[in-house]
Amino acid sequence: MGQGWAFVNGAYCPPEEATISVFDIGFTHSDVAYDVTSVWKGRFFRLDDHVERFLRSCAGFRLGCPYSKDEIKSILAACVAEGGVEDAAYVAMVVTRGKYSEAGERERDIRQTEATFIAYATPYVWIANPEKQEQGLHIIVGKTPHIPDACVDARFKNYHWGDLTQARLEAADVGADSAVLLTTDGRLSEGPGFNLFFIDGGRLMTPARNALEGITRQTVFDLAGEMAVPVEAGDYPPDRLREADEAFLCSTAGGIMPVVRVDERVLGNGVPGPITSRLRGLYWSKREAGWLGTPVGDLL
Ligand code: PLP
């Protein structure tokens, strides 16, 4: 398998040569909208959903994307094919505020900037690898709260990861795999790179606010519908998670990842729960069969 391929401001290059200026406001002020889709066995998953969410994120932060939806799809496909990662790829699209134009620099006028567009495909990234998923993850409820939506709207995928990174470090400090963050008023939200679900009495629950509207989360809603498992998005205190029968994280980077321990609390029998395991099995078998997939070759 190849190592991937990138595209920065109009030119393709190997990933290690994909660079931007240290004066790019994406770097200096985290002024970035992005999205990540994946390719599995030659097919993108829910590609239109990802590119449409990306364009909504750009609009949400008043960032102008220099490419249309169809152009973005072709660039992503070229990165996957040229990079030799059609079998399993992590595929990102990014717009940063870029650098000030000459006039913008003189006046420090934030409206006078030239956006940077970046795309890349690399080998698939797992938040938790398949062996770890078989065992189930240990997560904590982080002490660092999630940046409130009123400051940075979590529905728009962004690089304001200060809170998520501190929560990851908190988890590492106690030997846990990751952390879920609370809203500033103490309700469950999401974690670094994933949405959260828990299951109580056969019912699936996921936080409704201060969280990205994840494409995998939507996929879980779809699969739960097929399995006739009731599902709801709501406002939950962390004890609902600690007392749940089952829980899992979900993300483009890893799919449906079972959780078996939250803080000191072991969920169920301490192994991935039955509903989680069925969802996870269905997710991968349907992806392998091409469900909601776009062949990379169709876009070249
Ligand atoms: N929440 C955050 C903060 C994320 O970065 C991600 C990541 O990719 C998710 C949730 C899951 O979203 P999706 O399923 O669209 O990958």
Side-chain angles (χ1 to χ4, degrees):
M1 187 164 69
Q3 286 311 299
W5 201 241
F7 178 89
V8 184
N9 275 336
Y12 289 96
C13 59
E16 63 277 13
E17 290 171 23
T19 54
I20 61 165
S21 165
V22 293
F23 302 111
D24 191 305
I25 302 164
F27 174 65
T28 58
H29 295 163
S30 308
D31 199 353
V32 174
Y34 80 117
D35 216 284
V36 176
T37 181
S38 63
V39 168
W40 195 255
K41 307 271 185 273
R43 286 189 177 91
F44 283 103
F45 187 55
R46 304 191 85 141
L47 181 59
D48 284 321
D49 293 338
H50 281 280
V51 179
E52 283 164 15
R53 183 177 67 181
F54 173 58
L55 294 173
R56 283 199 301 279
S57 299
C58 291
F61 294 121
R62 300 174 63 183
L63 286 159
C65 180
Y67 296 103
S68 68
K69 183 176 162 191
D70 285 344
E71 286 169 333
I72 294 169
K73 285 161 64 173
S74 311
I75 293 167
L76 297 178
C79 289
V80 173
E82 191 62 34
V85 287
E86 297 95 329
D87 204 41
Y90 175 99
V91 190
M93 60 210 96
V94 183
V95 163
T96 82
R97 184 75 55 193
K99 288 196 291 179
Y100 286 109
S101 64
E102 232 172 84
E105 179 71 65
R106 262 196 316 274
E107 292 155 30
R108 301 299 278 182
D109 183 346
I110 193 63
R111 294 161 305 179
Q112 298 197 54
T113 52
E114 285 152 13
T116 303
F117 179 87
I118 305 161
Y120 57 87
T122 65
Y124 188 74
V125 170
W126 300 90
I127 286 181
N129 64 33
E131 297 75 53
K132 183 84 221 178
Q133 291 190 25
E134 289 295 321
Q135 287 167 23
L137 280 69
H138 168 201
I139 63 167
I140 61 164
V141 176
K143 293 189 176 60
T144 311
H146 201 9
I147 296 171
D149 282 332
C151 302
V152 179
D153 193 329
R155 288 171 310 155
F156 306 135
K157 203 165 155 65
N158 65 77
Y159 276 6
H160 294 268
W161 266 58
D163 53 348
L164 302 173
T165 301
Q166 290 306 312
R168 285 182 81 183
L169 289 167
E170 284 180 42
D173 286 346
V174 296
D177 299 302
S178 197
V180 61
L181 284 79
L182 300 181
T183 62
T184 46
D185 58 351
R187 301 296 166 136
L188 293 166
S189 66
E190 62 181 343
F194 58 81
N195 288 112
L196 170 76
F197 278 86
F198 60 93
I199 301 167
D200 209 358
R203 191 175 189 83
L204 271 166
M205 277 155 275
T206 189
R209 63 187 172 91
N210 208 188
L212 184 71
E213 289 166 346
I215 307 289
T216 322
R217 176 181 183 262
Q218 179 56 49
T219 305
V220 170
F221 289 149
D222 299 343
L223 295 174
E226 269 185 41
M227 286 164 50
V229 174
V231 56
E232 66 177 48
D235 202 17
Y236 312 105
D239 276 351
R240 290 294 301 277
L241 170 65
R242 295 189 186 99
E243 286 156 16
D245 301 326
E246 302 180 35
F248 60 87
L249 316 180
C250 66
S251 172
T252 295
I256 291 167
M257 298 170 275
V259 169
V260 294
R261 184 176 156 197
V262 180
D263 295 330
E264 297 314 314
R265 207 58 180 258
V266 173
L267 306 188
N269 302 324
V271 294
I275 296 177
T276 304
S277 300
R278 275 177 63 205
L279 281 164
R280 181 168 168 250
L282 206 52
Y283 174 83
W284 287 110
S285 62
K286 287 182 75 99
R287 281 201 63 172
E288 302 236 344
W291 182 51
L292 300 173
T294 306
V296 175
D298 285 4
L299 297 169
L300 296 172

